[in-house]
Amino acid sequence: MKRTIAIVAGGDTSEYEVSLRSAQGIYSFIDKEKYTLYIIGMRGLDWHVQLSEGKTLPIDRNDFSFTKESGEKVKFDFAYITIHGTPGEDGRLQGYFDMLHIPYSCCGVLAAALTYDKFACNQYLKSYGVRIADSLLLRTGQSISDEDVVEKIGLPCFIKPSLGGSSFGVTKVKTREEIQPAIAKAFAEAREVMVEAYMPGTELTCGCYKTRDKSVVFPITEVVSHNEYFDYKAKYDGESDEITPARISDNLTDRVKKLTSAIYDILGAQGIIRVDYIITEGEKINLLEVNTTPGMTATSFIPQQVRAAGLDITDVMTDIIENKFH
């Protein structure tokens, strides 16, 4: 009997379209001889299963099922969450699936909520000795003067939503005049805004997943943006070079991989995560952020790293699904 898998995509943030692209990637990666797959789209209270020829049917949120036109009820054995942003990356959907006893692909409520809040996650990992940039947090209704930003963080700096991803609402600020507009832009995306010191260096990203019987850290990718920083266009419109494996020393490669594995364990992560770093002078490793539902389009970092490792992405997907049933 084939297990029925829901690939859950969409969400309530600017990353909606990116998430739908990840869902198509995951659909192409999962073994269709072993599993029956459906893509579930979510936006607000509109939850639906996508069928052929553009048809959709509503999801019953009482038990996360849908009923075919024939009257047959379809329930899911497993959910592969690929929503970037709320409610799939911040722990809300994980709590819902926990209550329904439906296993899912990524980390649980606490780890998801913590990693979704970049500021909170970085401060938490700092307590374990992980290096991070100096930063400040603003919540809705709070403000900061240009002078305080310059004095406490310095210029240039990054002003960005503390919640969210894909570089929406991010500004690299170089002058005092840009500070307040950048804060307003970030608040348009999220209720928490982070003011973070700029760290010149080499940007790296490293994926990892673990099951009951294996621990896999993928080859590291070096990111060389053609733009001012690794912005949306660099991420999704090809305006960057992504070099896997990264052009770094064996010693640094080993240290980044060990730190990625340690962060996975500290957070109690599950499924695939991706950790982003900046390497500053003297090969110092600085954490940027942790992604617990990383992008999974055909050109995303994780599929690139899986190929560079000589692994088959279909086998990796099977590992992650079957790990929840042993």
Side-chain angles (χ1 to χ4, degrees):
M1 188 78 175
K2 282 185 177 181
R3 289 197 172 102
T4 304
I5 310 289
I7 301 169
V8 188
D12 301 332
T13 70
S14 299
E15 294 187 273
Y16 180 85
E17 296 297 337
V18 178
S19 172
L20 295 184
R21 296 215 295 270
S22 285
Q24 293 297 332
I26 290 165
Y27 187 90
S28 72
F29 300 148
I30 294 178
D31 189 338
K32 291 161 198 65
E33 290 186 9
K34 284 187 178 173
Y35 308 107
T36 301
L37 306 179
Y38 292 96
I39 293 177
I40 309 299
M42 290 186 180
R43 185 170 243 172
L45 294 177
D46 174 19
W47 296 20
H48 58 267
V49 60
Q50 298 176 6
L51 303 174
S52 57
E53 298 163 7
K55 287 183 183 172
T56 65
L57 287 171
I59 291 288
D60 182 345
R61 289 190 295 276
N62 291 302
D63 60 359
F64 198 66
S65 68
F66 74 95
T67 302
K68 291 182 176 180
E69 289 169 338
S70 64
E72 179 194 350
K73 184 166 180 160
V74 177
K75 297 185 85 169
F76 295 100
D77 301 304
F78 182 90
Y80 200 110
I81 299 173
T82 190
I83 291 176
H84 311 311
T86 190
E89 199 171 4
D90 59 0
R92 297 180 191 191
L93 207 49
Q94 288 84 343
Y96 167 78
F97 286 135
D98 284 342
M99 292 175 75
L100 291 177
H101 299 279
I102 297 173
Y104 48 86
S105 55
C106 51
C107 59
V109 174
L110 178 60
L114 178 61
T115 52
Y116 188 59
D117 187 321
K118 297 180 181 71
F119 184 85
C121 183
N122 286 9
Q123 295 298 323
Y124 177 70
L125 290 170
K126 182 183 179 182
S127 72
Y128 284 86
V130 177
R131 290 175 59 92
I132 62 169
D134 291 336
S135 61
L136 298 167
L137 183 70
L138 299 173
R139 290 196 168 94
T140 301
Q142 295 179 330
S143 61
I144 188 169
S145 68
D146 300 345
E147 290 71 26
D148 276 351
V149 171
V150 173
E151 182 187 328
K152 293 175 179 174
I153 300 298
L155 294 176
C157 68
F158 281 102
I159 295 180
K160 61 188 181 183
S162 187
L163 316 164
S166 292
S167 299
F168 287 109
V170 178
T171 307
K172 184 178 180 182
V173 173
K174 298 178 182 173
T175 67
R176 283 174 181 252
E177 293 72 32
E178 294 172 316
I179 292 171
Q180 298 306 325
I183 291 172
K185 179 181 173 183
F187 268 131
E189 285 289 330
R191 64 187 181 278
E192 294 183 6
V193 168
M194 200 168 167
V195 182
E196 186 175 63
Y198 169 66
M199 295 180 291
T202 303
E203 185 162 348
L204 304 177
T205 187
C206 183
C208 174
Y209 81 97
K210 301 187 182 190
T211 63
R212 284 180 176 80
D213 54 8
K214 70 169 80 168
S215 174
V216 180
V217 183
F218 299 129
I220 300 162
T221 301
E222 177 183 350
V223 183
V224 183
S225 176
H226 301 169
N227 305 332
E228 190 71 46
Y229 63 97
F230 193 48
D231 60 8
Y232 184 90
K233 285 179 177 291
K235 283 176 176 162
Y236 300 111
D237 295 343
E239 296 179 14
S240 66
D241 296 318
E242 298 169 4
I243 301 154
T244 312
R247 301 167 299 182
I248 56 176
S249 68
D250 290 346
N251 175 266
L252 181 56
T253 297
D254 186 55
R255 286 166 53 218
V256 169
K257 285 187 165 188
K258 282 181 175 167
L259 180 56
T260 303
S261 179
I263 286 171
Y264 192 104
D265 294 339
I266 290 166
L267 294 171
Q270 294 177 55
I272 298 174
I273 71 164
R274 203 192 75 232
V275 187
D276 300 342
Y277 303 98
I278 288 279
I279 309 303
T280 51
E281 199 173 340
E283 291 197 341
K284 292 190 175 78
I285 305 170
N286 305 270
L287 173 70
L288 281 179
E289 63 178 277
V290 180
N291 300 278
T292 56
T293 55
M296 291 294 284
T297 68
T299 57
S300 293
F301 289 124
I302 293 297
Q304 286 181 49
Q305 293 176 5
V306 169
R307 286 193 296 272
L311 300 172
D312 185 327
I313 189 82
T314 299
D315 294 338
V316 173
M317 295 288 104
T318 300
D319 277 351
I320 287 163
I321 296 165
E322 291 303 316
N323 187 57
K324 293 295 177 94
F325 293 103
H326 290 314

